[in-house]
Amino acid sequence: MFNPPRSRGATRTLQIFWPLLATMLWATPLPAQQADKQPSGISLPAYPDSAGGLKKLILDMLAATKRGDEATFQAYVEFLVLSDPKTWFATTFGDDLGRQMYLGYEKVRPELTSHFKDSFGTIVREHLSDVRVRRFEKACDPNASDMEYPALDARQQPTPLYDARMANADGSRLMPLWFFVYVDGRFRYTGGLRFYPPWKQAFALSLVPWEIQRKRLVYQPAPHYPSEAKQSRMQGSVLLWAVIATDGSVRELRVARGTCWLTKSAMDAVRQWRYTPMIVDGKPVEVFTTIEVFYTLSF
């Protein structure tokens, strides 16, 4: 069953992927002359571009934390920093969105050491020693959460993204470490993959809260519930950014949060929606808003 959008999602602040942590895995140290030497002067082993490689890296950082080896831990933090974040974000996500994400990365980069220390301190205190790593290549991956899919979908090229999480022995406590990438022969922490409206003009438009904009709907066909989602008993919602044109049509649309299976259905339906145009000073104007589409199964 499709439930009409409710106001509770309209005011959510979308800050996707700010968890700040580390990465790491299966690898054997290279000979000393080939080891990756950090500015700290400490040589670290090489880690292969694989889920196992990232896992080994995380475990090595965890080991440094447990033995109180701050110098080695700091070397790992330096190891994880993107060497040319401006270029990487622009190449991966396009000039507009890439620049926004790069600026977010630059804001958090000076705080990486304290964030990593806090995160790994929590991991040790709460005995989160089970490292779980997933490698995402395709945008539509059923294992990607509704917070991960937008990042996968926004890529301009199929750059693999790694998701890392820490869990306790029985899996009842999970702590996300989020995204890492493999660049220039090593893993890098991407910082917060913070998402903004993808259109430059969105910031110049009138921002209309969904609670108000939804009252202007005059045509609202319900989305189809995808068969894959039904079979897997998937429920939830899809949050979209939208530009409403002067004639009341949905001119531009982009996913802000949602899983692959539900997002396409939601976007196909919302593109058909029509609104009473917004009038300002006697003239119709374009507006920017969020739209949340809910999916609920009847058990």
Side-chain angles (χ1 to χ4, degrees):
M1 175 178 73
F2 161 65
N3 287 338
R6 300 194 294 269
S7 62
R8 70 174 177 84
T11 58
R12 285 183 185 170
T13 299
L14 271 171
Q15 294 184 338
I16 300 181
F17 313 125
W18 263 146
L20 298 155
L21 303 133
T23 93
M24 2 344 219
L25 310 230
W26 287 108
T28 55
L30 289 176
Q33 69 273 18
Q34 297 181 30
D36 201 338
K37 201 168 188 177
Q38 303 309 300
S40 60
I42 295 176
S43 295
L44 300 177
Y47 298 89
D49 183 6
S50 65
L54 181 55
K55 182 177 180 180
K56 181 64 169 65
L57 175 55
I58 293 173
L59 291 174
D60 286 349
M61 285 189 78
L62 183 56
T65 302
K66 289 181 177 179
R67 65 175 181 266
D69 188 345
E70 294 189 6
T72 298
F73 189 88
Q74 180 59 36
Y76 273 107
V77 175
E78 296 168 359
F79 181 95
L80 293 170
V81 175
L82 282 165
S83 59
D84 186 3
K86 186 175 183 179
T87 298
W88 186 84
F89 281 111
T91 301
T92 304
F93 295 100
D95 292 338
D96 187 12
L97 183 57
R99 182 176 182 277
Q100 295 171 4
M101 297 173 77
Y102 159 69
L103 293 175
Y105 182 85
E106 286 299 287
K107 288 180 180 179
V108 76
R109 182 157 62 167
E111 303 173 2
L112 282 181
T113 297
S114 61
H115 280 303
F116 279 115
K117 285 183 176 179
D118 290 345
S119 297
F120 277 83
T122 299
I123 290 169
V124 171
R125 287 192 303 274
E126 299 190 14
H127 307 288
L128 306 177
S129 57
D130 181 9
V131 184
R132 302 181 180 185
V133 177
R134 291 178 295 185
R135 174 184 167 111
F136 293 118
E137 296 187 24
K138 298 179 180 180
C140 191
D141 190 314
N143 294 314
S145 71
D146 62 354
M147 303 294 280
E148 293 170 329
Y149 171 69
L152 298 173
D153 182 60
R155 294 172 301 169
Q156 300 295 303
Q157 57 183 10
T159 302
L161 298 179
Y162 287 89
D163 168 86
R165 299 169 187 242
M166 305 299 294
N168 58 5
D170 63 7
S172 60
R173 169 79 166 95
L174 285 174
M175 180 177 176
L177 304 184
W178 297 107
F179 285 134
F180 299 87
V181 294
Y182 201 82
V183 181
D184 298 331
R186 68 167 74 168
F187 281 104
R188 311 279 187 163
Y189 173 61
T190 62
L193 294 182
R194 187 175 183 178
F195 279 72
Y196 303 82
W199 316 289
K200 291 180 180 179
Q201 69 269 29
F203 297 99
L205 299 177
S206 300
L207 174 61
V208 180
W210 175 237
E211 293 94 336
I212 296 175
Q213 188 63 27
R214 64 181 298 197
K215 296 176 182 178
R216 308 182 71 83
L217 272 167
V218 294
Y219 181 63
Q220 185 186 13
H224 168 70
Y225 212 122
S227 58
E228 301 95 331
K230 280 186 176 181
Q231 292 169 7
S232 62
R233 313 301 292 175
M234 179 182 291
Q235 301 183 91
S237 67
V238 175
L239 187 63
L240 304 169
W241 284 305
V243 174
I244 309 302
T246 56
D247 63 357
S249 64
V250 178
R251 184 169 67 80
E252 296 193 57
L253 201 61
R254 183 67 178 268
V255 59
R257 190 198 69 243
T259 59
C260 172
W261 287 344
L262 297 181
T263 295
K264 185 179 184 303
S265 165
M267 295 181 75
D268 286 346
V270 171
R271 284 192 179 99
Q272 303 176 60
W273 291 7
R274 294 294 181 269
Y275 298 83
T276 300
M278 180 69 71
I279 306 298
V280 177
D281 295 330
K283 297 180 179 180
V285 298
E286 291 190 336
V287 299
F288 172 74
T289 191
T290 57
I291 299 172
E292 190 162 16
V293 181
F294 291 85
Y295 291 81
T296 304
L297 288 170
S298 298
F299 292 93

